[in-house]
Amino acid sequence: MLGIIGGTGLGEALFGEAFGEEHVIDTPFGAPSSPVRVLSWGDTKVAVLARHGDGHTLQPSHVPYRANIFALKKLGVTQLLVSGAVGSLREEIRPRDLVVVDQLIDRTYRRIPTFFDESMAVHAEFAEPYCPWLRERVLAASSSAIDAKVHERGTYVCIEGPEFSTVAEARMHRALGADIVGMTALPEARLAREAEMCCALVAIATDYDCWRPHPRGTTKQTLLAEIIGHVKAATENAVSVLRRTISDLANRPPDVCACSSALELAIWTRRDRIDPRAIAHYGPLVDKYLGPK
């Protein structure tokens, strides 16, 4: 099954106003941001979840990332496409461009970054936070889906928010090597890896972050109208890329990828020291390694 996480309205933009069957899913980590809608795209099932909830009610720090990823895992999602708005930290990444992210810098501090915060020690490989195979499929789809600029890679620095960066922070992010800045990529990508999902992020550049001064005389109203225009155009491009990627994945079966066995060597706790209640708690995350033999 293919999963999609994005902003409010992404599902409608991809599939129309009425799509799929609504699933309300319980998880050990509470309720997901929204019900998950599942529909069929040819022979492929597609599960869509609104990251910020219906009507965009959740701040980035309050998104129930663990519940979201667990709910998709419980439904059987194995490949995950995500999207999100970002600010550009580089002159060459212009508003309305798309970035198929390959690296992350974590500057969050209020979010639990793992499913496994008790009962067992789990250390998943995360050197390449986004699946190279799935990124290649997204890039191949983007080359024929849109005329806009799509950057083949980029480093995303994830800040806590909800405020945007100071100028000093933006300069620091540039010095660290980040190309774009946003608030939602983490712990989402970490959790997708622990859930053994292939994951790819299509980032939507809406504006330049505050390191780049606005032209003299620009008013807040003018700036907001400009950003809204960028968001609309870039989102339309992202929807086209996602739609083409979905079609491609539906027509060509996924390859076997290392993401699907990310926990094979990651569970360091001795089996005889793991409480059976913890195995039941984590369920589909660990069943193939710790379930009944």
Side-chain angles (χ1 to χ4, degrees):
M1 182 182 287
L2 177 64
I4 297 176
I5 297 177
T8 303
L10 179 63
E12 288 81 358
L14 283 168
F15 309 115
E17 290 187 7
F19 75 94
E21 177 183 354
E22 186 172 283
H23 293 256
V24 177
I25 301 171
D26 293 324
T27 86
F29 306 99
S33 297
S34 71
V36 182
R37 291 190 174 273
V38 178
L39 75 159
S40 296
W41 186 291
D43 294 331
T44 300
K45 294 289 186 181
V46 183
V48 184
L49 188 149
R51 181 188 290 114
H52 295 281
D54 293 331
H56 203 114
T57 57
L58 297 170
Q59 296 262 31
S61 299
H62 297 157
V63 171
Y65 296 98
R66 296 198 294 177
N68 288 351
I69 299 297
F70 192 96
L72 295 176
K73 177 71 173 181
K74 194 172 179 180
L75 280 172
V77 168
T78 52
Q79 290 86 39
L80 180 62
L81 299 172
V82 300
S83 69
V86 296
S88 171
L89 294 166
R90 302 293 166 188
E91 194 72 46
E92 63 271 22
I93 300 178
R94 297 177 175 85
R96 305 193 181 198
D97 287 0
L98 303 181
V99 182
V100 182
V101 178
D102 68 324
Q103 281 295 328
L104 293 169
I105 297 173
D106 192 350
R107 291 201 63 242
T108 65
Y109 51 86
R110 296 176 58 192
R111 311 174 192 189
I112 300 174
T114 177
F115 287 113
F116 305 103
D117 58 339
E118 58 182 42
S119 305
M120 65 180 77
V122 178
H123 304 280
E125 176 65 50
F126 200 58
E128 298 291 337
Y130 292 105
C131 173
W133 163 81
L134 189 54
R135 289 183 63 255
E136 286 182 6
R137 298 289 285 266
V138 173
L139 287 167
S142 67
S143 66
S144 58
I146 60 172
D147 293 327
K149 177 68 174 178
V150 179
H151 299 268
E152 295 186 0
R153 57 181 50 84
T155 296
Y156 179 130
V157 58
C158 188
I159 63 174
E160 189 64 52
E163 296 82 8
F164 297 111
S165 302
T166 66
V167 172
E169 288 170 333
R171 291 171 179 162
M172 178 184 68
H173 296 155
R174 281 166 51 82
L176 288 172
D179 301 303
I180 53 178
V181 57
M183 301 180 190
T184 59
L186 291 164
E188 197 169 75
R190 293 186 188 277
L191 298 169
R193 180 59 51 81
E194 289 186 345
E196 300 189 323
M197 296 175 184
C198 296
C199 183
L201 166 60
V202 179
I204 301 166
T206 62
D207 62 343
Y208 287 107
D209 199 33
C210 61
W211 63 274
R212 187 179 189 269
H214 300 301
R216 186 182 298 274
T218 302
T219 66
K220 292 181 179 180
Q221 291 75 16
T222 301
L223 181 61
L224 179 60
E226 182 179 279
I227 292 173
I228 290 173
H230 294 329
V231 170
K232 183 176 184 297
T235 299
E236 289 173 357
N237 286 331
V239 166
S240 296
V241 169
L242 291 173
R243 188 179 288 123
R244 184 64 61 90
T245 303
I246 294 166
S247 294
D248 175 55
L249 292 172
N251 292 327
R252 290 195 293 146
D255 298 334
V256 175
C257 174
C259 300
S260 65
S261 56
L263 297 190
E264 184 178 18
L265 302 177
I267 301 172
W268 287 27
T269 306
R270 275 178 24 198
R271 173 66 186 267
D272 62 355
R273 299 300 300 272
I274 300 175
D275 189 327
R277 290 172 296 183
I279 298 173
H281 174 75
Y282 294 122
L285 298 173
V286 300
D287 278 345
K288 76 177 182 181
Y289 301 110
L290 302 177
K293 295 191 181 296

